[in-house]
């Protein structure tokens, strides 16, 4: 990579969003440079790990649903161009008090966008899921078209496909700061200075460092995870 090169777009951070941005931009003909401070993927970004839930009946707000529908199409596209499976359909069971905001949110999203949700009950759930103890007064909703996506594998595939489509991607290189020179962005990195007509900032939890003048307050919070070894693995077998 020659220092001082000029690109159409520089993508800062090649994680979940940045790897896909590099691919779609390069595939559309843009001259792309992706810059990643660690490896692709890495264990420090939000994407670390082997699975992320994907679902359409978004209880957070129905406005997310069209984005989710688009995401499903894009995962299918990634599978088609790579020949690899990244989406695994498992279905998703929601169980909780009927008037809980998660349960009502799932219902609203599914009714607004016609997403299939099977209404079931705790005893039927217990029959098909003997490993779960669901209180008898709980509401049970099952979303068949939900499952999980493999984040690290997907990022690697998007980065590979971006490079095949003409993008350049450098790793182990941190963007320290950038300047808008009026029509051209000057990007200062640990591997030298690069120029771009446009910047895409997909730096995830580091965004306040890359965009210090951002007016929206962003706070990175620690996500604590725990794994439990089931007494009987057969209940969880696919
Ligand atoms: C524990 C946990 C569980 C989650 N579960 C789910 C789930 O089940 N379903 C779901 O949909 N979502 C889930 N999420 C959220 C999802 O993983 C994130 O929304 C997504 O990974 C964010 O992608 P991103 O591209 O914004 O950030 P990241 O994937 O973190 O990518 C940012 C990249 O930018 C790089 N970078 C940052 N600053 C610089 C710099 N200055 N120079 C160069 N490179 C830089 C970083 O190294 C990193 O690789 C979960 C998140 C966590 C943490």
């Amino acid at each position: 990579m020659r220092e001082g090169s000029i690109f159409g777009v520089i993508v800062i951070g090649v994680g979940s969003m940045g790897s896909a941005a590099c691919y779609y931009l390069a595939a559309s003909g843009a001259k792309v440079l992706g810059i990643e401070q660690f490896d692709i993927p890495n264990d420090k970004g939000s994407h670390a790990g082997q699975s992320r839930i994907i679902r359409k009946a978004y209880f957070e707000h129905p406005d997310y649903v069209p984005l989710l529908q688009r995401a499903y199409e894009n995962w299918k596209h990634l599978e088609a161009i790579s020949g690899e499976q990244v989406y695994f359909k498992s279905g998703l069971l929601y169980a909780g008090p009927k008037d809980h905001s998660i349960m009502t949110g799932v219902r609203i999203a599914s009714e607004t966008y016609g997403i299939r949700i099977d209404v079931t009950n705790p005893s039927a759930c217990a029959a098909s899921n003997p490993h779960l103890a669901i209180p008898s007064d709980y509401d049970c909703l099952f979303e068949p078209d939900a499952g999980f996506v493999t984040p690290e594998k997907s990022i690697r595939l998007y980065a590979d496909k971006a490079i095949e489509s003409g993008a350049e991607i450098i790793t182990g290189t941190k963007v320290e700061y950038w300047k808008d020179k009026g029509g051209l962005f000057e990007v200062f990195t640990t591997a030298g200075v690069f120029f771009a007509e446009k910047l895409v900032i997909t730096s995830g939890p580091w965004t306040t460092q890359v965009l210090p003048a951002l007016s929206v307050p962003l706070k990175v919070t620690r996500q604590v995870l725990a794994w439990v070894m089931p007494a009987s693995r057969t209940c969880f077998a696919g």
Side-chain angles (χ1 to χ4, degrees):
M1 170 71 43
R2 201 160 51 81
E3 201 188 334
S5 301
I6 302 177
F7 292 85
V9 187
I10 288 181
V11 176
I12 304 178
V14 186
S16 316
M17 303 297 163
S19 59
C22 285
Y23 163 66
Y24 279 101
L25 285 163
S28 72
K31 186 174 187 237
V32 177
L33 172 64
I35 306 176
E36 170 55 49
Q37 62 182 340
F38 304 126
D39 289 331
I40 299 173
N42 61 73
D43 63 2
K44 297 177 185 62
S46 298
H47 58 260
Q50 300 309 317
S51 63
R52 290 289 186 273
I53 292 174
I54 184 162
R55 54 198 160 87
K56 287 183 186 163
Y58 234 56
F59 56 78
E60 290 87 341
H61 198 283
D63 283 356
Y64 285 101
V65 177
L67 299 175
L68 266 304
Q69 287 169 329
R70 180 79 187 279
Y72 271 75
E73 283 168 24
N74 289 350
W75 292 126
K76 218 183 267 176
H77 175 69
L78 180 60
E79 291 183 333
I81 58 169
S82 68
E84 299 268 352
Q85 186 175 8
V86 296
Y87 166 62
F88 294 79
K89 183 173 165 173
S90 59
L92 178 63
L93 176 67
Y94 307 84
K98 196 180 173 83
D99 55 358
H100 190 281
S101 58
I102 291 182
M103 304 306 282
T104 53
V106 169
R107 283 177 187 277
I108 291 168
S110 91
E111 281 159 16
T112 310
Y113 285 97
I115 297 156
R116 183 176 153 199
I117 291 287
D118 298 336
V119 180
T120 169
N121 59 59
S123 53
C125 275
S128 51
N129 301 279
H131 51 294
L132 300 179
I134 302 173
S136 59
D137 58 342
Y138 269 24
D139 218 13
C140 295
L141 305 172
F142 184 72
E143 182 177 344
D145 194 17
F148 65 91
V149 168
T150 52
E152 294 191 3
K153 181 180 177 186
S154 305
I155 289 168
R156 203 169 16 242
L157 291 173
Y158 267 136
D160 289 348
K161 290 292 155 191
I163 292 166
E164 272 177 34
S165 306
E168 296 187 53
I169 296 183
I170 48 174
T171 57
T173 302
K174 183 171 179 158
V175 171
E176 292 177 316
Y177 62 100
W178 51 269
K179 278 187 200 161
D180 181 355
K181 304 279 280 185
L184 207 58
F185 291 96
E186 198 173 4
V187 179
F188 297 82
T189 79
T190 47
V193 183
F194 302 98
F195 296 90
E197 289 157 20
K198 291 189 178 146
L199 281 188
V200 171
I201 297 175
T202 44
S203 44
W206 289 266
T207 297
T208 49
Q209 292 171 26
V210 181
L211 260 180
L214 192 68
S215 57
V216 182
L218 294 179
K219 190 175 165 206
V220 178
T221 58
R222 186 172 172 231
Q223 306 295 309
V224 179
L225 299 179
W227 282 265
V228 178
M229 182 65 77
S232 163
R233 291 187 187 202
T234 49
C235 293
F236 295 88

